[in-house]
């Protein structure tokens, strides 16, 4: 037996038409009951009719009254829908305003933080310049003779001031990048010279830790398009990490490889403690250091890699970190040569 579907009528648009007719006093409760059981009988026989049709067939109501009831209900539904829409729009507006306020407050806070870092770094730099200058004068004996012990003390003082200086430079770099003010001075860079220069600058520190450090640079390297000061800084940071996180007896290598006419790659590989795979993303978070004990021993603020990545990305490049726990880490990025468009 195939069920007949009811004819398409406006009644299909409204729920509980029978109840509405009773509420409006158009029909009695008994009439409705009668019509419902009539409808059930028809359905049982495979004729699927709506309650309005049942009322018409039983002559309880007229077509006009039915149409009017359906129209009334559609109007009611439409105004309920409009009211809900208005309510919804108002709530969306309220939420949007709240979110806008929160965003404004957040950017104010982040600007405040950037200004604070910037101000404090500049304030720290001025007195440090004086200390550094006087240390140099004393060490050069321009202010009179110094004993061997005093010379040693001055050396320690000078080393500490340069550490402090580089921390302050890092902070200044953070404040610059967090304000989106990182600009590059694009120059033709002799990457071979820079590689040897940066390795030389960290050799003493590496030797003290019994770690060897050297540069392996491909012959006939093409010139590279980059910001030379910032590239030097980046290599210095990567070498510093390599040395810091490599136990005595280990090795750190700075490699510059000629990939193609248009590309060279720079990598710093160490045989150090490595980074657990699930923590690789964390090393780029500001002020984040993986191993509290190790970093306390090695110093630093947990800013280096964040800035390194920002500088590398400002060059249109990407930093890649490969690491195996207990075996070492390689940090690598490509740079465009001057013949690349
Ligand atoms: N070569 C590496 N081997 C093992 N862990 C590393 C290496 N480089 C970075 N890390 C981990 O990532 C963290 C963040 O490195 P990052 O250079 O940003 O900070 P930092 O070296 O601790 O301090 P800063 O660079 O500010 O002096 C380090 O503290 C360390 O836990
Ligand atoms: Mg570092």
């Amino acid at each position: 037996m195939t069920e007949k579907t009811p004819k398409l009528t406006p009644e299909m648009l409204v729920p509980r038409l029978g109840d509405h007719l009773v509420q409006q006093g158009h029909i009695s409760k008994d009439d409705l009951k009668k019509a419902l059981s009539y409808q059930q009988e028809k359905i049982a026989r495979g004729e699927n009719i709506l309650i309005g049709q049942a009322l018409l067939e039983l002559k309880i109501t007229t077509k006009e009254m039915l149409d009017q009831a359906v129209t009334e209900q559609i109007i009611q539904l439409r105004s309920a829908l409009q009211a809900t829409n208005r309510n919804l729009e108002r709530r969306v507006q309220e939420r949007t305003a709240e979110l806008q306020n929160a965003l404004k407050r957040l950017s104010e806070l982040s600007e405040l933080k950037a200004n604070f870092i910037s101000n404090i770094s500049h304030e720290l730099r001025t007195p440090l310049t004086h200390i550094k200058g006087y240390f140099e004068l004393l060490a050069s004996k321009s202010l009179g003779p110094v004993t061997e012990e005093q010379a040693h003390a001055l050396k320690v003082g000078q080393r500490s001031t340069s550490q402090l200086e580089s921390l302050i430079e890092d902070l200044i770099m953070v404040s610059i990048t967090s304000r989106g003010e990182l600009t590059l001075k694009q120059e033709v860079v002799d990457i071979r010279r820079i590689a040897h220069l940066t390795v030389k600058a960290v050799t003493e520190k590496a030797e003290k830790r019994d770690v060897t450090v050297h540069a392996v640079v491909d012959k006939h390297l093409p010139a590279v398009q980059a910001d030379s000061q910032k590239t030097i800084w980046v290599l210095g940071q990567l070498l510093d990490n390599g040395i810091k996180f490599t136990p005595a007896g280990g090795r750190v290598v700075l490699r510059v490889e000629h990939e193609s006419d248009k590309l060279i790659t720079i990598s710093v590989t160490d045989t150090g403690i490595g980074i657990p795979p699930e923590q690789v993303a964390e090393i780029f978070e500001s002020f984040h250091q993986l191993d509290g004990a190790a970093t306390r021993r090695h110093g630093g603020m947990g800013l280096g890699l964040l800035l390194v990545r920002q500088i590398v990305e400002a060059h249109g490049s990407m930093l890649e970190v490969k690491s195996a726990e207990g075996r070492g880490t390689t940090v690598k990025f490509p740079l465009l040569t001057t013949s690349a468009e």
Side-chain angles (χ1 to χ4, degrees), residues 167 170 237-238 240-246 268 270 272-275 282-285 287-291 294-295 298-308 323 328-331:
L167 288 178
D170 290 1
Q237 289 294 319
L238 295 180
D240 181 63
N241 280 352
I243 296 166
K244 269 199 302 201
F245 300 106
T246 298
V268 176
D270 63 59
I273 58 173
I275 302 160
E282 291 171 29
I283 62 178
F284 296 106
E285 288 167 15
F287 303 108
H288 193 95
Q289 300 179 306
L290 297 185
D291 177 355
T295 42
H298 303 303
M301 288 191 292
L303 288 175
L305 281 177
L306 168 77
L307 296 170
V308 164
S323 190
T329 304
T330 296
V331 184

Side-chain angles (χ1 to χ4, degrees), residues 123-317:
E123 289 303 314
L124 288 171
R125 194 149 65 166
T126 317
L128 190 65
T129 313
H130 291 143
I131 298 172
K132 223 181 122 188
Y134 280 111
F135 272 161
E136 268 163 28
L137 276 178
L138 285 167
S140 66
K141 302 192 175 111
S142 313
L143 299 181
V146 282
T147 65
E148 211 169 293
E149 268 182 341
Q150 285 167 338
H152 174 73
L154 280 171
K155 244 207 171 93
V156 175
Q158 280 179 306
R159 235 189 348 257
S160 298
T161 46
S162 15
Q163 268 171 7
L164 207 52
E165 203 178 21
S166 80
L167 288 178
I168 294 169
E169 292 306 322
D170 290 1
L171 276 177
I172 290 175
M173 193 78 95
V174 170
S175 76
I176 289 173
T177 55
S178 66
R179 289 184 204 193
E181 289 170 2
L182 180 68
T183 49
L184 296 182
K185 197 168 136 207
Q186 291 283 1
E187 310 155 281
V188 177
V189 170
D190 178 354
I191 199 76
R192 163 182 289 276
R193 193 183 66 86
I194 283 183
H196 288 295
L197 201 97
T198 44
V199 165
K200 200 163 162 232
V202 294
T203 302
E204 194 187 323
K205 181 174 175 181
E207 275 170 1
K208 275 208 186 106
R209 292 167 181 267
D210 196 17
V211 171
T212 60
V213 56
H214 59 272
V216 178
V217 183
D218 273 359
K219 278 193 187 120
H220 313 301
L221 272 181
V224 164
Q225 190 81 35
D227 181 319
S228 66
Q229 280 313 309
K230 292 199 175 70
T231 308
I232 291 173
W233 190 87
V234 161
L235 299 188
Q237 289 294 319
L238 295 180
L239 288 168
D240 181 63
N241 280 352
I243 296 166
K244 269 199 302 201
F245 300 106
T246 298
R251 235 157 49 103
V252 177
V253 181
L254 166 65
R255 253 188 207 93
V256 187
E257 287 160 294
H258 186 180
E259 294 290 338
S260 72
D261 260 8
K262 305 199 163 154
L263 221 58
I264 61 141
T265 53
I266 300 180
S267 61
V268 176
T269 301
D270 63 59
T271 58
I273 58 173
I275 302 160
E278 69 279 6
Q279 287 187 303
V280 169
E282 291 171 29
I283 62 178
F284 296 106
E285 288 167 15
S286 51
F287 303 108
H288 193 95
Q289 300 179 306
L290 297 185
D291 177 355
T295 42
R296 252 199 316 280
R297 200 165 60 235
H298 303 303
M301 288 191 292
L303 288 175
L305 281 177
L306 168 77
L307 296 170
V308 164
R309 185 167 71 176
Q310 282 169 342
I311 293 171
V312 167
E313 286 178 359
H315 279 87
S317 181

Side-chain angles (χ1 to χ4, degrees), residues 77-95:
L77 281 173
R78 200 179 57 187
S79 44
L81 199 66
Q82 281 168 346
T84 311
N85 270 345
R86 277 196 299 275
N87 199 8
L88 213 61
E89 262 171 39
R90 208 196 58 239
R91 283 175 57 188
V92 167
Q93 275 168 4
E94 280 169 12
R95 292 281 177 283

